[in-house]
Amino acid sequence: RCEDRRAHTERELVAWGFPPVEFVDALCPEDLEVLEWFNSERVVKFPPCFRCGRVEACLCPNNVLLLEQVANWLSFRKAWRRILQGHARWY
């Protein structure tokens, strides 16, 4: 499924004249790096709410960070680092 999407995306980009692409594999919630971050002090636990910062009387919906959210953020960070390590010139 993922390979099909990647192949389709690559074909479409080539058809539009883009240079060859490099895919970055996303992290999954069960990956060790995600679990280490999630279980460290780097990820805010409730309380306090990561949205409003309140310890008490927080009325924010969805005020708990999930493993999936941490995995998503770390995946973006991985992609950004790959971009910075690349040889492309950014203007």
Side-chain angles (χ1 to χ4, degrees):
R1 178 178 102 207
C2 185
E3 294 82 16
D4 293 341
R5 281 198 316 256
R6 286 184 178 189
H8 172 76
T9 300
E10 191 166 18
R11 283 192 306 274
E12 288 294 315
L13 290 172
V14 168
W16 282 91
F18 285 88
V21 297
E22 176 185 348
F23 291 99
V24 177
D25 292 327
L27 293 163
C28 297
E30 61 272 5
D31 287 338
L32 182 59
E33 181 178 2
V34 175
L35 295 171
E36 287 174 347
W37 269 78
F38 188 80
N39 291 316
S40 76
E41 293 180 4
R42 296 179 285 193
V43 174
V44 176
K45 310 298 185 287
F46 184 81
C49 172
F50 76 94
R51 294 182 187 278
C52 69
R54 292 183 184 156
V55 174
E56 295 179 22
C58 169
L59 301 175
C60 297
N62 188 22
N63 58 7
V64 177
L65 284 170
L66 305 175
L67 277 169
E68 291 82 0
Q69 292 168 301
V70 175
N72 182 267
W73 183 84
L74 288 172
S75 296
F76 276 106
R77 189 181 76 144
K78 180 181 175 182
W80 295 326
R81 286 182 168 174
R82 183 83 52 87
I83 291 168
L84 288 174
Q85 293 168 352
H87 300 293
R89 292 179 59 189
W90 301 99
Y91 299 95

